[in-house]
Amino acid sequence: MKNLIQLGFAALLSLNMITVKAQKKNSENSTLWEISGNGLTKPSYLAGTCHIMCSQDFEIKPKVMKALEKSDQFVMEINYTDPAEMVAMQKMFQTDKKLSDQLSSEEAKELDKILIADYGTDLKKMDNSSSPGLYALISMKAVPCPQTDIKLYEIELLQNALKNKKKVYGLEKVEDQMNSINKAYDLKGVIGQLKMGKEYEKLLKEMVAAFKKEDVQSVYTLFKDDKIMNADQEKAMLTDRNKNWAEKMPDMMKKESSFFAVGGAHLMGENGVIQLLKSKGYTVKPVASL
């Protein structure tokens, strides 16, 4: 299990910063939402998460833990307890096609310079990394504390779910995430993002502050800057995934009460999970306390 959690840590590092555009301010803000109606005999819950936080900022609200306790099954973006998924995760970050072979001599020199100056490594050490593996460096740099002091929201929930013998499922496969990342960011796109490491440091700080206030609308809005994500990247990384999840969630909820934990930016917007579930006839409302 320890190795699975370590791989989950790597996955969350790579995906933490890839999010979203903004819409109008929504007064209904909460990190926890109840899903009911449309034939459900028991409510399910949707929790927005902040994937990566320093321990000094980390907190899981009591209502979130109570909702997990009341639910029959715990559903993450990817099921980190599935050995097959973890094998796929290992492959996700490495490739036989060297980065240097995909770049011109000048581009390779530029990447090496960026890695040395800003990320404490070099192209030789990273040459067998995939684009998602390279992208993971951005999140690692953005977190303002040592890796030993990092808390992962989903992993903490997973450990609690396993302790209480909850069933664990995933909304997508590692292959699905890999395809989404590759659609959104080619190698040169990732290198462009690496150049903006300081922007990500600022972004994560503001996102954590908003999340601690349960202001998921602001978490969503923080990613409006087109330097971080354009419309095509938003579609690949957010909209398409949200729609796929919203198609799977009804069957899960019909069978058993479910606790869904997904990145907070997936909740809001016209293509957010909340609106997609409402359009299917469910009542989705913020939870103040349980």
Side-chain angles (χ1 to χ4, degrees), residues 63 102 117 131 144 159 161 169 187 205 230 232 236 267:
K63 66 181 180 181
Q102 303 174 60
S131 290
Q159 290 176 326
Y169 297 98
L187 176 55
K205 182 178 180 180
N230 62 36
D232 290 338
L267 270 57

Side-chain angles (χ1 to χ4, degrees), residues 78-111:
I78 287 177
N79 181 3
Y80 294 136
T81 68
D82 184 340
E85 287 301 285
M86 293 304 97
V87 170
M89 188 75 71
Q90 287 178 314
K91 294 179 180 179
M92 176 180 177
F93 292 102
Q94 295 292 319
T95 178
D96 293 331
K97 191 174 182 180
K98 291 185 177 181
L99 295 173
S100 56
D101 291 338
Q102 303 174 60
L103 301 169
S104 69
S105 176
E106 288 302 313
E107 289 169 337
K109 288 179 182 177
E110 181 186 30
L111 176 55

Side-chain angles (χ1 to χ4, degrees), residues 250-263:
D251 283 342
M252 292 179 167
M253 294 187 289
K254 186 176 180 181
K255 292 176 182 177
E256 292 186 288
S257 174
S258 304
F259 181 100
F260 300 98
V262 302

Side-chain angles (χ1 to χ4, degrees), residues 132-145:
L134 193 61
Y135 196 96
L137 293 175
I138 301 173
S139 296
M140 293 170 68
K141 178 177 173 59
V143 180
C145 58

